[in-house]
Amino acid sequence: MPAVQETIEQVKAIDVDQYKYGFVTDIESEKGAKGLSEETIRFLSAKKNEPEWMTEWRLDALRRFQQMEEPDWARVSYPKIDFDDLYYWAAPKSVEGPKSLDEVDPELLATYEKLGIPLAEQEMLAGVEPKNRVAVDAVFDSVSVVTTFKEELKKAGVIFCSISEALREYPDLVKKYLGSVVPVTDNYYATLNSAVFSDGSFVYIPEGVRCPMELSTYFRINEQNTGQFERTLIIAEKGSYVSYLEGCTAPQRDENQLHAAVVELVALDDAEIKYSTVQNWFPGDKEGKGGIYNFVTKRGDCRGKNSKISWTQVETGSAITWKYPSCILRGENSRGEFYSIAVSNGYQQVDSGTKMIHLGKNSSSRIISKGISAGRSQNTYRGLVSAHRKASNARNFTQCDSLLIGQDCGAHTVPYIESKNASAQFEHEATTSKISDDQMFYCLQRGLSEEEAVALIVNGFVKDVIQQLPMEFAVEAQKLISISLEGSVG
Amino acid sequence: MLEIKNLHARIAEEETEILRGVNLTVNAGEVHAIMGPNGSGKSTLSYILAGKDDYEVTEGEVLFNGENMLDMDPDERAAAGMFLAFQYPIEIPGVATMEFLKTAMNAQRKARGEDVLSIPDFMKRVKAAASHLNVSMDMLKRPLNVGFSGGEKKRAEILQMSLLEPKLCVLDETDSGLDIDALRIVSEGVNKLRGPERAMVVITHYQRLLDHIVPDVVHVLSKGRIVKSGDKDLALELEKNGYADYVDTAA
Ligand SMILES: Nc1ncnc2c1ncn2[C@@H]1O[C@H](COP(=O)(O)OP(=O)(O)O)[C@@H](O)[C@H]1O
Ligand SMILES: [Mg+2]
């Protein structure tokens, strides 16, 4: 509730262009050669001192990518991307690899501070409530600049580091799981990512361990003409638990920037992974110029019995979003959840949803999707729920609600259901509504301004999903949503 | 406090006039009842006072404490102390009643340049007001008006009215959909708010509400005009003879 008030303050503080993360950090950076080639990949792999097998893995992905066609089934449209006109490696010059906090370039620390991301461990340690502590992996362009609380996590046996570091320190773990959930040839952008991924986070929770704090990664694209291809891998061993949050922002630039990430989650017996995203890449300006192309493959494998993976996403940014965080419910009794808020305004195009693939007996899943469209945006929910022959008693509940603000936007719901097992029970509910004039008038009569009224009604609409977010981020997410919708009424 | 002078209004972009020259003055401390047959323009008048933009004022003026009210936005009118208890309160899904109350109170306070309420202060006020109106904690946690019974909706309206402490209260058919017990609770809630600083306009179709909320003046609205005014006995007369006489006069 205080979030509503804060939202308004926040909204007021913002000038014409509402995106407040649009600044550019002036820092000397090093870039690889432009273009997608074997040479680019060898350069990148060498930069990161990767093992030989990794370089080969990448080169194999590149060869496969060159045979593939760009998919066109999503309800999004954009000019063809020239992959040879992009840089695949950019790093702040001062960074050689993740360092301790006091070695990090102050300019970088200032950047994260400006973004409101807590990197200082001291400050956090001083906090009274230990549950508010969050360990952060900060990724700037192609590299991870720092990971906080590493030592403390290590004591609990938790590994939390950049994937580059993991490749050097824990190559066997990476080799065992990398590509085991999202195969190299899964789809066009995943294959591209497999060839050129630059950095990202690696998390390993050992058997029986409940990760002692929230883990989170903040991605920041700073460089121009640079694609960001991060790769995240999270492994939860038997009976372990982890909650992970990712956030992303980028400067305001006139040209479009490509972001093609892959996230793989593996949950073994009785393990639980909670993965939350607050995605706020630059959405483009009022005329629809610029903004991030966000083409992301996220998939979780509930590999063990009684395992659980839950995706929660708040999507407010990007010019184009193409992402379907999914669960493969392989384990008996496993559970997948997808909670999503996708906000589109201006000329944004969102095509997002989930896949719940039921393979194991008694597996269950739940999908709650809230799409909010305003301006001239298009917002599509695309989902697949399927039950394999052996998935007896598979259950799914899906609820897709769309809220339209204004006359020029669109909301679309494309649910696919496939069941090869007669005992599977799938339920689907969908609604489309508008903020009615009567609701607005009622709120105004009680003294709310138009902005406050929209914020309140929208917060009510997304409440079921906001409740799924870790407490510390729920308020932030509400703010973001309201900011994204600023100027959508009146 | 409220002066309505020769008010003419129609549905925006339509020809037919709904209000055809309404004159009404309500002073601080007074309670005026407006009675009239269905379709005579009672709700229209209340909506125009609150600033709903479906209606277009074609002639006349409305002064609220001497200021031209028709120039103010609905939220400005609210902050200035105008409250409308809706005939059909609107559902706000997902927004707990409690949350709505707090948002509304603080929005008005901020508009008036006052500090926002502290949580304990807010809770104290809500609890006191809610207990008088027989509103439970459980109801306060439910989304506003969603799945509320007719009686609950009307009690929620009066709860908002007591917390917002308006100067001018307009109640549109607050008695409709209430059984005898609910009618008593709601009326008591309204009577508590009567005071020398406050003016009330109570719109109703039936006389029975006015047994509980005894008005100083009763007006009969018919076909968009006030055709007769009198004291509380006028309501009793209407109850006995119906509106037929007045419908004819207005024609
Ligand atoms: N929004 C509207 N659109 C069309 N007609 C309306 C609207 N509001 C009121 N009217 C018409 O105006 C007249 C007065 O209505 P109303 O003010 O609701 O009367 P009352 O509240 O006295 O029953 C009726 O004929 C009604 O049909
Ligand atoms: Mg009416």
Side-chain angles (χ1 to χ4, degrees):
Chain A
M1 167 44 234
V4 178
Q5 301 303 342
E6 276 175 56
T7 298
I8 305 312
E9 313 269 276
Q10 195 104 0
V11 167
K12 293 234 170 81
I14 290 165
D15 40 40
V16 228
D17 269 320
Q18 305 150 36
Y19 191 73
K20 72 164 175 170
Y21 307 104
F23 62 89
V24 178
T25 304
D26 191 9
I27 193 162
E28 230 190 314
S29 81
E30 190 191 357
K31 283 189 198 163
K34 232 185 199 179
L36 186 57
S37 64
E38 221 180 287
E39 198 188 331
T40 301
I41 288 173
R42 286 191 189 283
F43 167 84
L44 192 134
S45 200
K47 262 281 166 207
K48 293 149 67 70
N49 290 319
E50 288 179 350
E52 182 59 31
W53 64 264
M54 191 67 241
T55 317
E56 288 308 317
W57 202 83
R58 290 174 178 280
L59 290 171
D60 174 53
L62 175 69
R63 285 188 284 270
R64 288 164 185 264
F65 178 73
Q66 284 161 344
Q67 317 280 312
M68 293 170 95
E69 293 283 341
E70 197 161 352
D72 61 2
W73 45 263
R75 196 185 182 103
V76 295
S77 61
Y78 53 93
K80 225 171 156 41
I81 298 167
D82 182 358
F83 293 101
D84 285 325
D85 197 35
L86 287 180
Y87 291 100
Y88 292 84
W89 168 264
K93 229 177 190 154
S94 55
V95 175
E96 300 274 81
K99 295 177 177 184
S100 77
L101 268 174
D102 33 341
E103 287 171 77
V104 177
D105 187 324
E107 189 67 35
L108 278 176
L109 289 181
T111 299
Y112 283 91
E113 197 177 309
K114 226 164 147 182
L115 296 171
I117 296 156
L119 286 185
E121 294 182 357
Q122 277 330 104
E123 216 173 276
M124 312 268 312
L125 282 167
V128 195
E129 292 214 8
K131 71 164 196 254
N132 283 340
R133 291 184 312 160
V134 180
V136 179
D137 183 25
V139 177
F140 195 86
D141 288 331
S142 305
V143 296
S144 164
V145 289
V146 71
T147 309
T148 60
F149 287 108
K150 262 166 93 165
E151 286 312 309
E152 196 172 334
L153 287 166
K154 218 173 193 168
K155 276 185 213 141
V158 172
I159 303 172
F160 179 39
C161 62
S162 70
I163 194 125
S164 310
E165 191 181 345
L167 272 162
R168 292 189 299 266
E169 306 287 326
Y170 316 97
D172 296 343
L173 269 179
V174 178
K175 196 173 180 182
K176 181 170 171 192
Y177 289 103
L178 191 73
S180 75
V181 185
V182 178
V184 170
T185 53
D186 189 81
N187 69 71
Y188 192 72
Y189 303 111
T191 308
L192 174 64
N193 175 287
S194 300
V196 300
F197 75 83
S198 41
D199 218 335
S201 302
F202 176 80
V203 176
Y204 177 82
I205 317 287
E207 191 169 334
V209 170
R210 196 181 163 87
C211 187
M213 61 182 95
E214 290 282 336
L215 303 184
S216 101
T217 301
Y218 276 90
F219 296 105
R220 173 78 179 165
I221 300 179
N222 191 57
E223 272 308 318
Q224 212 156 350
N225 297 326
T226 303
Q228 182 155 350
F229 306 95
E230 83 264 355
R231 185 108 193 173
T232 295
L233 177 58
I234 299 180
I235 301 142
E237 287 281 7
K238 288 181 184 174
S240 66
Y241 168 86
V242 62
S243 167
Y244 179 94
L245 180 118
E246 75 173 4
C248 359
T249 56
Q252 206 157 327
R253 294 192 185 280
D254 284 348
E255 71 278 8
N256 297 102
Q257 282 172 289
L258 176 64
H259 171 255
V262 171
V263 175
E264 297 179 278
L265 313 182
V266 180
L268 298 171
D269 291 358
D270 303 301
E272 177 175 351
I273 302 175
K274 200 171 151 59
Y275 193 107
S276 313
T277 304
V278 176
Q279 186 265 112
N280 186 24
W281 296 117
F282 178 53
D285 68 10
K286 282 198 280 299
E287 275 76 48
K289 200 165 174 205
I292 302 285
Y293 291 163
N294 191 33
F295 302 146
V296 170
T297 305
K298 291 182 164 174
R299 194 171 303 152
D301 190 353
C302 285
R303 215 165 270 189
K305 62 174 168 50
N306 303 323
S307 56
K308 178 175 169 186
I309 289 179
S310 150
W311 297 102
T312 304
Q313 60 172 24
V314 178
E315 303 278 316
T316 59
S318 298
I320 299 179
T321 300
W322 180 100
K323 86 179 248 207
Y324 316 89
S326 303
C327 295
I328 301 169
L329 302 162
R330 204 183 296 278
E332 222 174 283
N333 235 350
S334 59
R335 178 161 176 88
E337 293 175 344
F338 175 74
Y339 299 100
S340 169
I341 298 169
V343 182
S344 56
N345 198 356
Y347 285 84
Q348 283 177 279
Q349 306 174 55
V350 179
D351 196 297
S352 185
T354 185
K355 287 189 270 185
M356 293 290 172
I357 314 289
H358 291 259
L359 303 177
K361 275 187 201 143
N362 297 322
S363 52
S364 63
S365 60
R366 180 179 166 89
I367 299 171
I368 309 282
S369 162
K370 305 275 181 176
I372 302 167
S373 335
R376 298 177 170 276
S377 67
Q378 294 295 325
N379 203 323
T380 302
Y381 167 83
R382 188 183 302 278
L384 167 69
V385 178
S386 75
H388 189 261
R389 233 173 289 109
K390 289 180 182 155
S392 316
N393 295 319
R395 276 154 297 144
N396 165 267
F397 174 76
T398 298
Q399 183 170 343
C400 289
D401 298 325
S402 310
L403 184 69
L404 297 166
I405 302 176
Q407 312 298 323
D408 302 320
C409 53
H412 318 275
T413 303
V414 192
Y416 298 96
I417 295 175
E418 290 169 10
S419 179
K420 296 205 173 106
N421 187 304
S423 65
Q425 288 177 24
F426 294 163
E427 276 177 76
H428 180 95
E429 287 174 12
T431 65
T432 300
S433 51
K434 282 191 171 209
I435 295 186
S436 72
D437 292 346
D438 285 345
Q439 283 177 323
M440 285 300 288
F441 176 64
Y442 187 83
C443 293
L444 296 190
Q445 205 304 302
R446 297 307 187 240
L448 280 70
S449 65
E450 288 196 347
E451 280 167 5
E452 287 172 315
V454 170
L456 185 79
I457 294 167
V458 167
N459 281 344
F461 176 74
V462 300
K463 192 170 149 203
D464 299 350
V465 176
I466 292 284
Q467 281 170 344
Q468 300 297 327
L469 282 173
M471 265 283 276
E472 305 85 78
F473 302 106
V475 174
E476 191 61 31
Q478 278 181 322
K479 278 188 211 166
L480 249 184
I481 293 166
S482 302
I483 291 166
S484 311
L485 289 172
E486 199 214 4
S488 60
V489 285
Chain B
M1 173 160 314
L2 176 68
E3 285 171 86
I4 303 174
K5 296 180 188 166
N6 189 31
L7 184 67
H8 289 253
R10 58 182 184 192
I11 309 286
E13 278 144 41
E14 275 180 40
E15 288 301 309
T16 355
E17 280 201 323
I18 301 176
L19 299 185
R20 302 184 304 146
V22 174
N23 290 289
L24 177 68
T25 300
V26 184
N27 297 312
E30 291 177 355
V31 175
H32 288 228
I34 296 181
M35 302 184 69
N38 282 329
S40 56
K42 303 186 296 295
S43 293
T44 302
L45 177 62
S46 73
Y47 284 142
I48 288 173
L49 292 179
K52 193 171 186 180
D53 61 9
D54 301 15
Y55 302 94
E56 189 187 332
V57 172
T58 50
E59 220 185 308
E61 61 177 348
V62 179
L63 301 179
F64 182 38
N65 287 325
E67 275 190 66
N68 180 358
M69 189 151 100
L70 298 176
D71 277 352
M72 297 160 78
D73 288 334
D75 50 328
E76 290 172 349
R77 299 184 196 193
M82 150 76 210
F83 182 92
L84 170 62
F86 283 63
Q87 180 172 3
Y88 304 106
I90 307 296
E91 298 183 357
I92 314 284
V95 178
T97 302
M98 186 86 96
E99 185 178 335
F100 185 85
L101 292 172
K102 196 171 165 205
T103 309
M105 287 166 81
N106 283 334
Q108 292 199 8
R109 296 177 72 90
K110 274 199 291 185
R112 293 193 292 256
E114 299 163 15
D115 286 342
V116 300
L117 290 169
S118 71
I119 306 263
D121 190 6
F122 167 73
M123 289 303 294
K124 214 169 68 195
R125 291 172 191 229
V126 172
K127 279 186 181 151
S131 73
H132 293 313
L133 289 162
N134 213 0
V135 169
S136 66
M137 214 27 161
D138 171 64
M139 188 174 142
L140 291 170
K141 285 181 187 156
R142 281 155 59 197
L144 183 65
N145 294 325
V146 179
F148 282 18
S149 69
E152 285 175 328
K153 282 186 183 166
K154 295 302 168 79
R155 278 187 282 143
E157 291 292 289
I158 304 306
L159 175 65
Q160 294 178 52
M161 189 165 100
S162 3
L163 288 167
L164 291 168
E165 301 174 340
K167 295 197 173 80
L168 170 66
C169 307
V170 178
L171 289 80
D172 191 4
E173 306 228 10
T174 297
D175 52 333
S176 67
L178 295 185
D179 59 28
I180 291 294
D181 290 335
L183 183 65
R184 192 177 37 78
I185 294 171
V186 165
S187 308
E188 277 171 15
V190 174
N191 284 331
K192 243 193 190 64
L193 295 173
R194 289 179 80 151
E197 303 296 313
R198 191 166 281 146
M200 290 193 186
V201 176
V202 179
I203 294 172
T204 181
H205 187 72
Y206 299 105
Q207 186 270 339
R208 67 170 189 168
L209 176 70
L210 305 181
D211 285 341
H212 299 270
I213 304 169
V214 182
D216 301 300
V217 189
V218 175
H219 307 274
V220 181
L221 186 73
S222 180
K223 298 197 175 156
R225 262 187 216 145
I226 288 180
V227 292
K228 175 146 189 164
S229 301
D231 63 10
K232 63 180 173 12
D233 294 336
L234 178 57
L236 292 169
E237 186 201 315
L238 283 169
E239 179 77 1
K240 213 164 82 199
N241 301 333
Y243 290 109
D245 298 353
Y246 302 103
V247 175
D248 287 347
T249 348

